[in-house]
Amino acid sequence: MNGTARAGTVWELVGQTPLMELTSLSKLTGCRIYGKAEFCNPGGSVKDRAAKGIIRDAEQRGLLVPHSDPPYTIVEGTAGNTGIGLATLAAERGYKVILTMPDDQASEKYAMLKALGAELDLGPACPFANPNHFYHRARAIAEATPRAYWANQFENPANGDFHYETTGAEIWEQTGGRIDVFTCAAGTSGTMSGVSRYLKEKNPNVRVVLADPYGSGMYCQVRTGKIENEGRSVTEGIGIMRLTTNFKAARIDDAMRVHDQDMIDMLYHLARHDGLVVGTSAALNAMAAYRLGLELRGSGAVIATILCDHGTRYQSRVLNEDWLREKELLPRPLAPVQ
Ligand code: PMP
């Protein structure tokens, strides 16, 4: 199927997203900077791909059977977008969905999940070592529920493998094999794992740079081999403090940290110059792509990143001036090119 083909279901609509040029950033850097428009997926984010990859793999192994009576249940711990992806596809495939989530995410995500019919199990955000962490609660619920399957997006290789097969291959084709640099942040690292493996297999000289928010340990992991962090971030769905199967599979050359203020500056820059209101992880990714473009200024290098979801998903936060003021994150113009 290509971007203009007919699709009968949300299942068929996952992927084949446009690769958009972020024209204002290309002009400022003299490179070609592109963002993969993942907000075009039916559930509105890059995580529809993980959801489809995980469900498809479980169905192939007979662990999930669509449209059964009584229905099978998909259980997952999620910060939101994976849950929306799973609930979107599950509605059409006749599955029940139970999601364990931290209770501090943007309210838009909970509203969307309820609309899709998912059952939510909310708990306070807590460290991974705490048995009440949403990850452990999901496993426990899956173990106690008949006909249930734990998606386990962090450790499930079907997540990264689906990005290898689709996101990586699409970026390679959409750049005509001319890509020089790829950058994105990691949550489960499914995107980074799949895309980096695909691109490096095609051309080992493609430079892969992890973009990491403050509060995440992966910048230090890549730079020094130790998971250490400092600071914190308002970004959602990215940053992690442990090595996961999907992260270990990624082929990363270097890492960059992006501060929330720079992320917000980019979010508003893209809104005002490219007509594109993206979510916080997408804005962080675009900031990383812009900085890599400045390093290669005037070279015409092709740089690609991921626009993970749309800004409307965070309307009550980053599109709300009171919230921005309270967080001391009011947007500033992008720093002028030196
Ligand atoms: N951005 C957003 C908004 C997300 O929800 C996620 C997934 N948690 C990511 C980026 C990271 O994607 P991945 O899990 O493939 O690393």
Side-chain angles (χ1 to χ4, degrees), residues 211-335:
D212 212 30
Y214 280 81
S216 171
M218 294 300 119
Y219 169 84
C220 287
Q221 170 61 34
V222 172
R223 284 280 174 116
T224 68
K226 271 199 230 140
I227 298 183
E228 284 171 326
N229 73 353
E230 61 176 278
R232 50 191 303 176
S233 173
V234 301
T235 56
E236 294 181 33
I238 53 172
I240 187 166
M241 281 301 289
R242 65 183 192 279
L243 267 186
T244 63
T245 303
N246 281 302
F247 190 89
K248 282 188 238 164
R251 295 180 62 185
I252 298 169
D253 298 307
D254 201 358
M256 174 193 302
R257 257 183 181 148
V258 180
H259 193 278
D260 279 350
Q261 182 66 60
D262 295 319
M263 176 278 290
I264 289 288
D265 296 348
M266 178 56 78
L267 196 153
Y268 278 84
H269 172 89
L270 291 177
R272 283 156 194 189
H273 295 85
D274 298 84
L276 197 56
V277 179
V278 295
T280 51
S281 60
L284 184 134
N285 285 349
M287 191 67 199
Y290 171 61
R291 284 201 195 139
L292 292 163
L294 289 178
E295 280 175 22
L296 297 168
R297 196 171 312 160
S299 66
V302 174
I303 302 172
T305 192
I306 306 287
L307 303 177
C308 315
D309 64 5
H310 200 263
T312 45
R313 194 149 281 177
Y314 310 89
Q315 201 158 335
S316 59
R317 296 186 172 186
V318 290
L319 305 187
N320 171 355
E321 212 175 305
D322 292 337
W323 188 89
L324 287 170
R325 191 170 292 112
E326 188 197 314
K327 299 282 176 194
E328 299 184 358
L329 285 174
L330 285 169
R332 314 163 305 188
L334 274 195

Side-chain angles (χ1 to χ4, degrees), residues 172-229:
W172 180 258
E173 276 160 32
Q174 287 167 320
T175 57
R178 284 203 49 236
I179 179 163
D180 297 297
V181 182
F182 174 73
T183 184
C184 79
T188 64
S189 204
T191 313
M192 181 49 112
S193 155
V195 174
S196 66
R197 282 188 281 134
Y198 190 91
L199 296 179
K200 289 270 190 192
E201 272 175 30
K202 286 286 181 188
N203 175 5
N205 295 325
V206 174
R207 186 161 176 246
V208 175
V209 181
L210 173 78
D212 212 30
Y214 280 81
S216 171
M218 294 300 119
Y219 169 84
C220 287
Q221 170 61 34
V222 172
R223 284 280 174 116
T224 68
K226 271 199 230 140
I227 298 183
E228 284 171 326
N229 73 353

Side-chain angles (χ1 to χ4, degrees), residues 25-283:
L25 302 184
S26 291
K27 278 194 194 134
L28 284 168
T29 59
C31 294
R32 305 290 303 269
I33 300 190
Y34 294 95
K36 191 97 170 103
E38 291 300 295
F39 46 79
C40 293
N41 282 304
S45 90
V46 67
K47 299 302 300 199
D48 287 8
R49 296 188 192 252
K52 182 170 175 179
I54 287 169
I55 294 174
R56 189 185 66 174
D57 171 71
E59 288 179 356
Q60 283 166 352
R61 293 192 287 134
L63 302 172
L64 283 174
V65 181
H67 301 292
S68 291
D69 185 17
Y72 279 71
T73 301
I74 302 169
V75 186
E76 183 59 323
T78 166
N81 275 328
T82 303
I84 294 171
L86 288 170
T88 297
L89 300 179
E92 189 260 317
R93 288 182 98 65
Y95 295 119
K96 251 187 84 181
V97 173
I98 303 177
L99 303 170
T100 58
M101 289 181 72
D103 62 8
D104 61 349
Q105 301 292 295
S107 59
E108 287 83 346
K109 289 187 194 164
Y110 302 118
M112 181 78 84
L113 287 165
K114 281 186 193 151
L116 288 163
E119 196 178 303
L120 304 187
D121 174 292
L122 304 187
C126 60
F128 187 72
N130 186 325
N132 280 326
H133 187 279
F134 63 88
Y135 179 87
H136 309 302
R137 290 208 318 275
R139 188 211 327 243
I141 290 172
E143 281 169 1
T145 309
R147 291 180 162 230
Y149 178 71
W150 177 33
N152 197 8
Q153 55 173 332
F154 288 92
E155 304 301 333
N156 190 337
N159 171 3
D161 289 350
F162 196 79
H163 282 285
Y164 174 92
E165 182 186 323
T166 66
T167 328
E170 288 168 31
I171 292 174
W172 180 258
E173 276 160 32
Q174 287 167 320
T175 57
R178 284 203 49 236
I179 179 163
D180 297 297
V181 182
F182 174 73
T183 184
C184 79
T188 64
S189 204
T191 313
M192 181 49 112
S193 155
V195 174
S196 66
R197 282 188 281 134
Y198 190 91
L199 296 179
K200 289 270 190 192
E201 272 175 30
K202 286 286 181 188
N203 175 5
N205 295 325
V206 174
R207 186 161 176 246
V208 175
V209 181
L210 173 78
D212 212 30
Y214 280 81
S216 171
M218 294 300 119
Y219 169 84
C220 287
Q221 170 61 34
V222 172
R223 284 280 174 116
T224 68
K226 271 199 230 140
I227 298 183
E228 284 171 326
N229 73 353
E230 61 176 278
R232 50 191 303 176
S233 173
V234 301
T235 56
E236 294 181 33
I238 53 172
I240 187 166
M241 281 301 289
R242 65 183 192 279
L243 267 186
T244 63
T245 303
N246 281 302
F247 190 89
K248 282 188 238 164
R251 295 180 62 185
I252 298 169
D253 298 307
D254 201 358
M256 174 193 302
R257 257 183 181 148
V258 180
H259 193 278
D260 279 350
Q261 182 66 60
D262 295 319
M263 176 278 290
I264 289 288
D265 296 348
M266 178 56 78
L267 196 153
Y268 278 84
H269 172 89
L270 291 177
R272 283 156 194 189
H273 295 85
D274 298 84
L276 197 56
V277 179
V278 295
T280 51
S281 60

